[in-house]
Structures are given as C-alpha cells and as structure tokens.
Amino acid sequence: MSLAPSPLAMVPFVSVDHMMQLVHHIGLEKVLIDIAAELEKDYKRWELFDKTPRVASHSDVGVIELMPASDGEHYGFKYVNGHPSNTKQGLQTVTAFGLLADVRTGYPILLSEMTMLTALRTAAMSAMAAKYLAPQGSKTMAMIGNGAQSEFQCTAFKALLGIENVRLYDVDSKASEKCAANLANSGLHVSVCSSSEEAIEGAQIITTCTADKQYATILTDNMVGPGVHINAIGGDCPGKTELHKDILLRSDIFVEYTPQTRIEGEIQQLNSDHDVIELWQVIAGDIAGRSSDHQITLFDSVGFAIEDFSALRYVHDHIKETDYYIELDMLADPDDPRDLFGMLERAK
C-alpha cells in the first residue's frame, strides 16, 4: 500500500542545478548585491542571534564542519568540508549543503545545496565588509589565489564597489588563465601577473584566497604599504594562515566572531588579548571602520554561520512561485502524531 505524503511532510530542496538556474534568472551581480544586503541587515541585528563557533572535525587532509545559527524565528545550519588536496582527484576543495527550519515547530522549511551558495555568500560578505573598510573610490584589486572562489570575489567587488581592474596571481598559472577566461566578458580589465609582488602594484584592495592547510606567507610585511585594505579569506582553520605576522601588527583588524577567528583566522598568530573589532560594531555605527587614508584595514574573514543563515533565507524567499526546487518527503506525518508505528504498518 502506498500512501501519499501530507503537504506538511514536504520540504523544498534546491539542487545545484536549481541554484544555478535561480542565479541566472535573477542575474549574478544582482544576486551578489541582494545577498550582501541580507548580510548587512543581519549584521545590524547581530546581538539577537544565538552564536557559536563552528563545530569542526579536523584530519590530516582537511576539515568537516557544522555551522549553526538562529535568530529566534528561524534556525539554520551548514555542513561544509575543506580538503585542499581534493583538486588532485578532480574533486572540489569545498562542498556544502544547508538547512533552514522554523523555530516554532522545529520543522525544516528548506534544504539546499551550499557549494555554489557558499561561494556567492563569501564573495558578497567580502564586498559588503569592504564598503566600510576599503579606501573610497578603489578601482583596482589584487586577487591572489585564483581557485574556485576568485571569479565570485572579483564580480562582487565590481558589483558593490565599482572595481574596474583585477590583477591575478596564483602559483598555478593555469588557475589564473582559467579565472581570466571566465572574467573575459565581465566588464573588468583583467591582468595575469607573474608574482604576488606584481599583482599588488597599484591595488587599493588585496584579496588573498589560497587553499593550502598550512602556515603560509602569501604577503610579506614589505609588500603592504599604507592605505590598503586586505581581504584575507584563505586562512580559515587552525594552522592555516596567509599573512606575515608583522602585517597584522600594523593593521586595524576586523573580524566576524572573535572566539572563532582567534582559533581559525590570521589572528591565531597573535596574543589572545590583541585588540580586534567585530564587523557588526562597524555596520551598527558603534565603531569607525576606515578612518584615515594611511590606515591599513584587514578583514580577517573565516566565514561565520550567520552568513549562511542570511544566504539560506534569501534563497527560501526567492524560490517561491518558481520551478527552481523540488519537494522532498522528508518528515513523517502520521494522522495521529503519537502513532508513528501505525503509520509504518499501514504502509505495507
């Protein structure tokens, strides 16, 4: 006997294909602008959220993490991995999926792929932070590390800040060629550089996004002059950094959630009492972001669960009345909530 599932048991599921269709339906730059607006809105109500550092399971080859957050009305989490050596097997370094639920019932209201969505929200977050931290009128960004995130970052900075020029560098020249080819019709002027030093020439914004799970020095102290904004997004777990410690000592450092960033970010190199500013304080107007032309600002970004929450809520709101999802029969819904066994028996 086959029983039709109740509508209450059905949960919208957004596949990778659906996510790509949704992005093209809305427009990539519009999606990045929209997600940045959702992020900004949620950062302004930061204090309302339940917050916790992500729960991480580390191995010699990577990390698997759960990232939960709730605003009291909705609860969301993301499952995400980070395995830098995956590319050698033709696999993604980062994959993810996420869930959004109704706090009142505990019922899921959205299940979604988040590999593509994480790339979108990470880029939107970088550009949103740069609105407050980068020099006004910035036109040139160095993009060091040209893997899966690089094109999203460049597009977001163009859409939100008006960046016109991007200077690419990667230790793997094929990655830079890939990035340049993907951005050929973006409206950006793209230069492929032969070194990090060449890439940062004339750049007001420097984005670092490398994947190796190790202490690394992508930028040395002598490479960073006054007045630049550094968007450091590659260091995101213990033992993984990109910047020389001396750069941090000369910079005003902005983070998402201090307890998590002290474990995972560039500031793991510093004493635990070193002053940092949480970005929500800048967005709320409590603390200044960029305050002088000579200031070096550093966004030590490791990714935080509220950002995934914002992105999931955006997708949930925008798939309504579209065909960009399917419904999954995920939840048992017996006629009598106390009779789960009877539901099983009647399904014979």
Side-chain angles (χ1 to χ4, degrees), residues 7-293:
L8 294 175
M10 307 303 286
V11 178
F13 168 63
V14 179
S15 67
V16 176
D17 186 56
H18 286 137
M19 186 65 71
M20 294 190 294
Q21 290 182 53
L22 179 66
V23 170
H24 288 303
H25 173 70
I26 298 172
L28 174 57
E29 291 195 13
K30 181 69 163 56
V31 168
L32 290 165
I33 291 168
D34 288 349
I35 293 177
E38 291 297 319
L39 292 165
E40 193 167 13
K41 182 167 63 178
D42 283 340
Y43 265 70
K44 285 180 179 177
R45 59 191 191 110
W46 177 269
E47 293 176 289
L48 297 177
F49 280 87
D50 288 335
K51 298 173 286 290
T52 184
R54 56 184 145 215
V55 181
S57 176
H58 295 277
S59 68
D60 292 340
V61 294
V63 63
I64 294 174
E65 301 167 333
L66 289 177
M67 300 174 65
S70 176
D71 66 352
E73 181 177 351
H74 294 105
Y75 171 91
F77 77 83
K78 181 173 76 174
Y79 166 98
V80 61
N81 78 293
H83 287 69
S85 63
N86 271 6
T87 53
K88 297 175 183 177
Q89 306 172 58
L91 303 175
Q92 288 285 303
T93 298
V94 176
T95 64
F97 68 87
L99 181 143
L100 192 67
D102 184 341
V103 167
R104 292 167 297 178
T105 63
Y107 272 40
I109 59 172
L110 176 70
L111 179 66
S112 177
E113 83 80 34
M114 287 199 74
T115 307
M116 188 69 66
L117 187 56
T118 294
L120 293 163
R121 75 84 161 134
T122 302
M125 185 67 198
S126 292
M128 189 273 283
K131 282 176 53 181
Y132 293 89
L133 304 178
Q136 290 293 315
S138 296
K139 295 300 179 186
T140 300
M141 180 172 78
M143 184 74 231
I144 301 174
N146 303 152
Q149 176 65 213
S150 57
E151 297 93 341
F152 294 92
Q153 290 283 324
C154 294
T155 304
F157 275 82
K158 172 181 178 287
L160 273 86
L161 270 76
I163 288 295
E164 298 175 355
N165 311 295
V166 291
R167 299 174 62 78
L168 307 177
Y169 174 70
D170 195 292
V171 292
D172 180 357
S173 60
K174 291 182 180 178
S176 298
E177 292 168 7
K178 175 270 305 180
C179 183
N182 285 338
L183 294 174
N185 297 316
S186 66
L188 289 163
H189 181 266
V190 180
S191 303
V192 175
C193 301
S194 59
S195 67
S196 297
E197 291 83 355
E198 181 184 351
I200 66 174
E201 290 178 8
Q204 297 90 28
I205 298 169
I206 303 170
T207 291
T208 58
C209 187
T210 57
D212 285 345
K213 190 181 178 184
Q214 63 181 2
Y215 291 111
T217 305
I218 306 304
L219 295 181
T220 57
D221 187 41
N222 65 317
M223 293 170 65
V224 179
V228 300
H229 171 59
I230 303 170
N231 177 43
I233 62 174
D236 58 3
C237 67
K240 182 183 176 188
T241 60
E242 298 182 305
L243 310 183
H244 191 281
K245 178 180 177 180
D246 289 347
I247 298 173
L248 278 64
L249 296 175
R250 292 196 292 128
S251 303
D252 288 327
I253 303 171
F254 300 82
V255 303
E256 290 140 318
Y257 184 56
T258 306
Q260 179 174 295
T261 310
R262 290 215 187 271
I263 297 169
E264 302 177 347
E266 297 297 327
I267 60 173
Q268 65 186 278
Q269 304 178 67
L270 303 178
N271 294 331
S272 60
D273 59 352
H274 188 92
D275 285 342
V276 299
I277 299 167
E278 291 193 337
L279 187 64
W280 73 267
Q281 297 172 288
V282 177
I283 295 170
D286 298 335
I287 296 178
R290 174 162 290 275
S291 57
S292 79
D293 293 339

